[in-house]
Amino acid sequence: MQRAAQRDDRAQLDQRAKRLRRVLVCAAAVPAVLITAACSSDSGAGDKGGPAAGQSAGDAKKQPSASASPTVRAAAYRTLPEPCKVLSKGTLGDLVPKGSKAGKDGTSDDVSTRSSCSWNSLDNNGVKGSQFRWLNVSLLRFDSDATRGSGDQQAHAYYLRQISDAKGVAGAKNTTSQPVAGTGDEATTVRYDLKKKEGAFKQQTVVARVENVVVTLDYNGAGLAGEKTPDAAALTKAAEKAAKEAIASVASANGKGSGAGSASGSTSGSTSGSTSGPASDSPSESASPSASPSKSAAKKG
């Protein structure tokens, strides 16, 4: 009986030991299952978000960076010469002999961007009448701008408008235009006759561009009170010589060469003004002229 009881006790102990081993085995297996499940869960989450996020990051690296602001060629000239000093005393003596020392500055809120000077000359010959001359030089400089374009482009567009304005003066007769060689990058002379109550006027407008600066020179003459009308060809020759001198003064004021010839890298354009230039925005606000010099020339005299 005692042995039977002992066998029963050992059997029960063996069963308890087996159950304990099973519990321990299960307990040891649980973390592995959890880890596996966790890994599986992470993997699943990665499938949904991980790789996608990684791919997005990779794509972001492949995506081109935001494009930088467009750049334009820097303006060649940073300032303008004093307008009443762009012509030599000798040139003024030829064009406006009685008014060479009486140059009048035009109004400007920024003389480094726009400026002008005008002269009047009345050579009185008594009963024979008198010779009248009027000269105006206007300078307009354009700064390069990413929105409006390079200074050269803006200046070229303005150059073409000045020529168009000179050709379209109301009341003008016998209008002609011709290119001017050796004066900046492009230059054109517009000539016409204009009848006024004081007499018959011969008008010359020379528009010239060097890099980002446009020079407009208006020169007219008339014989008053019986004096003969001046020779248009002589007036034109004098005006073109003066325009070339004014262009050279622009380069000189900026510490550069004469500026009389074509400058490298500038916008090319037809010297006659008949060929349209490159697309361009309006002149920069600081350089925008209030009125065309060529139009104001028609009012003088």
Side-chain angles (χ1 to χ4, degrees):
M1 293 290 294
Q2 185 177 359
R3 289 180 179 178
Q6 289 177 347
R7 284 196 299 272
D8 290 340
D9 290 339
R10 280 197 297 270
Q12 290 178 359
L13 289 174
D14 290 339
Q15 290 177 353
R16 290 175 182 175
K18 290 180 181 179
R19 283 198 297 269
L20 180 58
R21 282 196 297 271
R22 284 198 297 270
V23 169
L24 291 175
V25 170
C26 290
V30 168
V33 172
L34 291 176
I35 291 172
T36 302
C39 292
S40 299
S41 176
D42 288 343
S43 176
D47 289 340
K48 296 179 180 179
Q55 183 179 4
S56 178
D59 290 344
K61 292 180 181 179
K62 294 178 182 179
Q63 291 293 330
S65 57
S67 59
S69 299
T71 58
V72 293
R73 180 176 179 265
Y77 297 123
R78 308 295 296 175
T79 190
L80 294 175
E82 293 183 49
C84 292
K85 295 182 179 180
V86 296
L87 302 178
S88 67
K89 292 181 180 179
T91 299
L92 289 173
D94 291 339
L95 273 66
V96 282
K98 297 299 182 178
S100 60
K101 297 180 181 179
K104 182 180 180 182
D105 281 303
T107 58
S108 174
D109 55 359
D110 183 1
V111 293
S112 70
T113 299
R114 60 173 302 193
S115 62
S116 65
C117 188
S118 61
W119 297 261
N120 285 302
S121 175
L122 185 64
D123 187 4
N124 194 335
N125 297 316
V127 294
K128 294 183 179 180
S130 57
Q131 284 290 331
F132 173 80
R133 300 288 186 274
W134 178 75
L135 172 66
N136 184 82
V137 179
S138 297
L139 303 99
L140 192 63
R141 184 181 64 82
F142 296 82
D143 285 320
S144 295
D145 183 271
T147 301
R148 299 182 181 91
S150 71
D152 287 9
Q153 288 178 314
Q154 296 178 69
H156 176 75
Y158 179 69
Y159 162 82
L160 295 179
R161 288 199 298 273
Q162 285 293 87
I163 295 171
S164 178
D165 286 348
K167 291 179 178 179
V169 170
K173 303 292 184 182
N174 305 317
T175 302
T176 61
S177 66
Q178 63 188 40
V180 183
T183 304
D185 295 301
E186 50 190 346
T188 298
T189 296
V190 179
R191 295 168 46 175
Y192 55 83
D193 300 331
L194 197 62
K195 183 70 174 178
K196 298 184 181 182
K197 62 180 181 179
E198 297 88 352
F201 285 77
K202 297 291 184 178
Q203 170 71 34
Q204 283 67 225
T205 297
V206 184
V207 186
R209 178 185 70 84
V210 58
E211 299 277 5
N212 58 308
V213 174
V214 176
V215 173
T216 304
L217 186 144
D218 288 299
Y219 183 49
N220 65 40
L224 308 179
E227 181 64 282
K228 65 178 181 179
T229 301
D231 179 58
L235 294 180
T236 298
K237 183 178 180 180
E240 291 177 351
K241 177 184 176 183
K244 185 174 182 178
E245 194 172 308
I247 282 290
S249 71
V250 173
S252 180
N254 287 270
K256 300 193 177 186
S258 67
S262 178
S264 62
S266 63
T267 303
S268 61
S270 170
T271 53
S272 67
S274 60
T275 303
S276 60
S280 171
D281 295 296
S282 301
S284 58
E285 293 178 2
S286 61
S288 179
S290 58
S292 167
S294 58
K295 289 184 178 179
S296 64
K299 301 177 183 178
K300 298 294 180 180

